[in-house]
Amino acid sequence: MSLSLGTIIPRIFLGHVNTSQYDDVATFFTLTHVLQPRSCFISHYKLPYTQNLKTHVAFVSKFDHTCSYPVMEEEADTKQKKFDFFCDPDEKEEEYSKELDVAVRAVQMACSLCQRVQDTLISNTTRSRTNHQVHSKDDNSPVTVADWSVQAIVSWILSECLGSENISIVAEEDVQTLSEANASGLLEAVVETVNQCLAEAPRFGVQKPIPALGTSEVLEIIRRCNSIGGPTGRFWVLDPVDGTLGFVRGDQYAVALALIEDGEVVLGVLGCPNYPMRKEWLSYHHRYHRIISKLTPPTSETWNKGCVLYAKRGSGKAWMQPLLHANKMFVWPNQAKQVTVSSIDNPALATFCEPVEKANSSHSFTAGLAHSVGLRKQPLRVYSMVKYAAIARGDAEVFMKFARAGYKEKIWDHAAGVIIIQEAGGVVTDAGGRPLDFSKGLYLEGLDRGIVACSGSTLHEKIIDAVDASWGSSSL
Ligand SMILES: Nc1ncnc2c1ncn2[C@@H]1O[C@H](COP(=O)(O)OS(=O)(=O)O)[C@@H](OP(=O)(O)O)[C@H]1O
Ligand SMILES: [Mg+2]
């Protein structure tokens, strides 16, 4: 077993630790009754130990709490017994805990990075923004320093904390633009943004890189997020800045990270840095919220705008944390509260949300559906996966998206949001009522017409029936 940042140590462990990357070779003895829960993370590259073979001291840490524990020597014939203990049924509950913990910290850091970049973007003039900070992709959608920088830091944190040999990531950005000869200014800005963010890592309980990352390392950590997904194995899915249009306009956007195993989403983490303190403000452009926040500054005790939502498959629970305040230390679970979907099932009282851009979803088709099922309120048009967050938090009841024919939905635009809604008690399917299929590579292949997410099955069934009834006469 070789140790690195993020190595998991069973509470009961017998064996030798190969620390060949360091000066010493440590003999590692059983860690008996030392940790609750039964696993911990090594947060120091160096594992100090005494020369005394009977009483070793391991410095272990579950991110924030660095402690030292006496380690007792064990007899070799107890090995099997210890192994059985390690595989007890409680282990199930621990499944993906380490991944979730790391993913939430990564998304918290990403949100902090994005807030900084968005503040700079909207305070700069339109001219300088166009020239330096916002770029167009081949499909004319915008991409910013924040997209590449978030991809870099998430890639770095997952690899450092979970072991790079196990990390496979599907993510939205590639390094083509950054690698072009005329992109040196942009690349420099990305490297600076990445290092500025990672310098803050200890506040989030993550070790920072020493020395800071160089240009080629930053390019490499972005580039290696080039997995293509598929039906088997484990891979992460990242949308570094979902709703980039909302982001550059100073409005809503999200950071979305999910873990997929054998084609199923098993973890979802969704950062919504501009989620307002009051749900009614979702329907206003974010600049109103900025003005209001300035008039009534939040105290450290109140829930500021912005949150991170997360859920583990099969837990039946979804959670929400506030973003970490400046100068505060992240201590798990960082004031997390459970969230559940709304109990409203009367369409007349329900709120439905949809994409802001009518190019992304037919507003006229959803208006017809809304009318036929009796949804009476104005649609809530919000950029990005913040719509999924609104359903999971109980702030809206329905989300519908009907893209133009031929558009293929990407897995990173939905994975994190889908599992969070499902674990919060809601339902998400395609317009034929079938689950979204994350096992077919980068796209939601086979998606039937559109996506319908609801707080409950009553509303969901009504909408699915209405789609069938009106599809033939639609122009989609
Ligand atoms: N033509 C078309 N049709 C459907 N969907 C599209 C289309 N073009 C882009 N996209 C994807 O939509 C993501 C933006 O989120 P939304 O779909 O919620 O739209 S909106 O931003 O609120 O208008 C957006 O995510 P980001 O690229 O991360 O911003 C895209 O992946
Ligand atoms: Mg997206």
Side-chain angles (χ1 to χ4, degrees):
M1 178 185 186
S2 78
L3 289 176
S4 64
L5 182 71
T7 301
I8 198 163
I9 308 176
R11 186 169 65 174
I12 302 292
F13 176 78
L14 185 70
H16 294 275
V17 173
N18 171 14
T19 56
S20 54
Q21 63 267 54
Y22 316 120
D23 302 338
D24 317 309
V25 174
T27 306
F28 200 70
F29 292 89
T30 308
L31 298 173
T32 309
H33 309 303
V34 294
L35 293 165
Q36 282 296 341
R38 73 174 43 97
S39 57
C40 64
F41 295 98
I42 291 285
S43 73
H44 303 286
Y45 276 97
K46 206 151 189 164
L47 183 74
Y49 67 102
T50 69
Q51 286 298 324
N52 176 346
L53 287 182
K54 294 279 184 227
T55 316
H56 285 242
V57 176
F59 284 84
V60 292
S61 162
K62 190 162 170 53
F63 290 103
D64 300 306
H65 314 289
T66 302
C67 334
S68 64
Y69 298 101
V71 187
M72 309 298 288
E73 194 173 3
E74 288 282 326
E75 294 301 318
D77 61 8
T78 60
K79 196 171 184 174
Q80 188 55 45
K81 200 170 115 228
K82 301 303 180 194
F83 185 73
D84 291 345
F85 175 82
F86 184 46
C87 294
D88 77 13
D90 289 349
E91 194 60 22
K92 195 82 190 142
E93 221 174 81
E94 295 276 313
E95 217 179 4
Y96 305 117
S97 294
K98 179 177 67 162
E99 288 82 358
L100 180 67
D101 187 313
V102 172
V104 169
R105 287 165 203 267
V107 170
Q108 281 274 359
M109 287 176 65
C111 289
S112 156
L113 184 158
C114 288
Q115 284 182 316
R116 205 172 300 151
V117 175
Q118 195 186 46
D119 284 347
T120 328
L121 262 183
I122 58 179
S123 60
N124 281 351
T125 64
T126 312
R127 194 159 159 269
S128 67
R129 187 192 310 173
T130 320
N131 287 346
H132 303 297
Q133 291 173 297
V134 183
H135 297 257
S136 270
K137 294 206 232 181
D138 292 346
D139 63 357
N140 274 337
S141 64
V143 59
T144 71
V145 164
D147 295 70
W148 286 297
S149 303
V150 167
Q151 188 162 315
I153 66 135
V154 172
S155 166
W156 188 83
I157 294 166
L158 293 180
S159 295
E160 285 298 305
C161 298
L162 300 172
S164 53
E165 68 279 8
N166 296 322
I167 302 298
S168 168
I169 307 174
V170 174
E172 185 167 5
E173 308 308 332
D174 59 36
V175 290
Q176 205 183 317
T177 307
L178 285 180
S179 311
E180 283 164 10
N182 59 357
S184 59
L186 175 64
L187 181 56
E188 223 172 89
V190 170
V191 174
E192 192 188 326
T193 309
V194 165
N195 282 314
Q196 200 176 24
C197 175
L198 291 178
E200 291 272 293
R203 220 160 50 78
F204 295 84
V206 176
Q207 187 118 341
K208 66 179 177 186
I210 299 173
L213 301 182
T215 306
S216 53
E217 284 170 290
V218 170
L219 277 175
E220 174 54 22
I221 54 182
I222 298 172
R223 192 206 53 77
R224 74 178 174 220
C225 301
N226 59 357
S227 168
I228 52 165
T232 52
R234 177 188 273 220
F235 59 91
W236 293 88
V237 184
L238 170 69
D239 193 340
V241 180
D242 179 44
T244 314
L245 215 48
F247 180 74
V248 299
R249 290 176 178 168
D251 208 311
Q252 297 296 331
Y253 64 97
V255 175
L257 181 61
L259 179 62
I260 295 188
E261 185 142 17
D262 296 334
E264 302 276 354
V265 186
V266 294
L267 279 187
V269 184
L270 193 55
C272 306
N274 283 342
Y275 204 102
M277 277 179 281
R278 292 167 58 175
K279 67 174 182 184
E280 309 86 73
W281 295 351
L282 268 176
S283 49
Y284 294 109
H285 188 284
H286 191 66
R287 68 173 168 261
Y288 291 107
H289 173 63
R290 278 172 199 275
I291 295 164
I292 291 163
S293 304
K294 284 204 176 103
L295 294 175
T296 53
T299 69
S300 59
E301 297 308 311
T302 59
W303 277 64
N304 199 352
K305 64 164 184 168
C307 60
V308 172
L309 288 131
Y310 57 90
K312 249 200 290 186
R313 184 183 175 77
S315 65
K317 288 183 183 132
W319 301 91
M320 174 172 71
Q321 295 180 347
L323 297 186
L324 193 65
H325 283 280
N327 308 321
K328 289 260 156 86
M329 289 294 290
F330 184 100
V331 180
W332 186 267
N334 189 35
Q335 305 168 56
K337 291 180 188 168
Q338 199 181 330
V339 289
T340 49
V341 293
S342 157
S343 56
I344 292 174
D345 61 2
N346 176 355
L349 303 176
T351 300
F352 96 83
C353 39
E354 64 179 346
V356 175
E357 295 296 304
K358 56 178 184 289
N360 288 7
S361 179
S362 168
H363 289 175
S364 55
F365 184 63
T366 53
L369 287 178
H371 180 76
S372 64
V373 300
L375 290 162
R376 296 282 169 259
K377 296 191 187 179
Q378 284 298 308
L380 184 58
R381 292 189 179 137
V382 184
Y383 292 103
S384 81
M385 256 183 277
V386 166
K387 295 183 277 292
Y388 281 103
I391 308 268
R393 288 174 51 139
D395 290 345
E397 285 73 29
V398 177
F399 161 49
M400 300 189 266
K401 181 171 179 183
F402 289 88
R404 62 171 162 72
Y407 179 80
K408 283 163 80 171
E409 295 286 351
K410 291 126 180 169
I411 56 172
W412 56 74
D413 280 326
H414 304 281
V418 168
I419 187 170
I420 291 168
I421 289 192
Q422 287 171 337
E423 298 303 323
V427 188
V428 189
T429 67
D430 66 15
R434 282 196 298 270
L436 308 191
D437 185 353
F438 291 93
S439 74
K440 295 285 192 307
L442 302 184
Y443 301 100
L444 294 176
E445 301 285 359
L447 185 89
D448 184 357
R449 293 167 287 182
I451 293 171
V452 179
C454 293
S455 51
S457 53
T458 308
L459 285 168
H460 185 260
E461 277 162 26
K462 286 191 164 99
I463 292 168
I464 298 293
D465 290 348
V467 174
D468 279 339
S470 56
W471 187 256
S473 55
S474 80
S475 54
L476 288 168

